[in-house]
Amino acid sequence: MRKLSEVEMQSLAALLKMEQDGLIVQRAVNTLITDENLKRQGEASVLAAEGRIKGLQQFVNENQVSVSEEVQ
């Protein structure tokens, strides 16, 4: 695999941060939901976000990409 550019690494870090922040918000919102159908959709959203995060983390690990720097 080719080496990622600085912009690609920053984009990857930003995407991972966005997914993590979205997951935190969705979990918080799920505690407030009382409708059962909406609650199931919220839980499915959490599972989907966790899957996307795991996929991004796997890509980072497999390709030895360093995204530990804070995106400014």
Side-chain angles (χ1 to χ4, degrees):
M1 168 159 203
R2 69 178 176 79
K3 183 173 169 49
L4 296 179
S5 70
E6 184 66 29
V7 172
E8 289 170 322
M9 288 192 295
Q10 288 178 348
S11 295
L12 186 59
L15 182 59
L16 186 55
K17 174 111 174 78
M18 180 187 71
E19 288 288 356
Q20 290 171 333
D21 291 347
L23 179 59
I24 291 167
V25 170
Q26 185 62 50
R27 283 181 175 156
V29 168
N30 281 356
T31 63
L32 304 173
I33 297 173
T34 56
D35 181 72
E36 286 304 314
N37 289 330
L38 192 54
K39 190 176 235 11
R40 276 195 300 274
Q41 288 180 350
E43 291 167 356
S45 177
V46 166
L47 291 174
E50 289 173 342
R52 289 189 301 270
I53 290 169
K54 285 179 184 175
L56 286 169
Q57 289 172 333
Q58 181 178 356
F59 175 83
V60 166
N61 290 335
E62 287 177 356
N63 295 286
Q64 300 169 345
V65 177
S66 174
V67 292
S68 60
E69 294 180 25
E70 189 69 28
V71 177
Q72 298 176 4

